[in-house]
Amino acid sequence: MVGCLRRHPEVWMPEAETHYFDRTTRSKKRPFPSDESYQRHFDSKRKGTVRVVGEKTPVYMHLPTAMSRIKKTLPAVKLIVVLRNPTERAWSHWKYWKRDPS
């Protein structure tokens, strides 16, 4: 889905997950982002006429605090949710944590 959206000339999304709205999940590798650092994800590297700006951070869907922060910060936001096969998703998650357990 993200690949399709990124190929559209009027859509812009940063490469990395921002983790801006999930500030309750802290790690040494991903300290809490500042408002300015979050905004920089969207201000740089844009080309052409951009009509839609988005980001992807799958953990938001699992954190009620993230959903509340999104609603408060971006009340008119439109969300796209992609649901995966639970078995494939669990296997992918296990491989990810095996590779990077932090």
Side-chain angles (χ1 to χ4, degrees):
M1 174 66 72
V2 172
C4 289
L5 291 170
R6 283 196 182 118
R7 284 192 295 273
H8 193 286
E10 295 178 336
V11 175
W12 193 89
M13 297 177 68
E15 289 293 322
E17 296 174 5
T18 67
H19 290 275
Y20 179 73
F21 293 102
D22 66 354
R23 292 185 182 190
T24 58
T25 59
R26 176 187 294 215
S27 78
K28 290 179 183 177
K29 289 185 179 182
R30 288 187 293 244
F32 295 154
S34 67
D35 294 346
E36 293 79 21
S37 69
Y38 182 66
Q39 188 61 43
R40 279 194 301 270
H41 283 286
F42 306 102
D43 289 340
S44 63
K45 301 177 185 173
R46 288 192 206 179
K47 296 177 184 172
T49 304
V50 174
R51 295 183 61 200
V52 177
V53 176
E55 67 141 301
K56 65 167 180 86
T57 304
V59 74
Y60 291 166
M61 199 168 74
H62 304 288
L63 299 171
T65 55
M67 290 286 113
S68 297
R69 290 189 68 219
I70 291 169
K71 184 177 180 179
K72 182 179 178 185
T73 307
L74 305 166
V77 73
K78 294 180 181 177
L79 303 175
I80 298 173
V81 176
V82 177
L83 301 176
R84 294 173 59 186
N85 174 306
T87 305
E88 291 174 10
R89 195 241 170 255
W91 176 244
S92 173
H93 188 78
W94 181 84
K95 290 190 299 184
Y96 172 82
W97 285 109
K98 196 75 169 151
R99 187 175 59 246
D100 183 11
S102 60

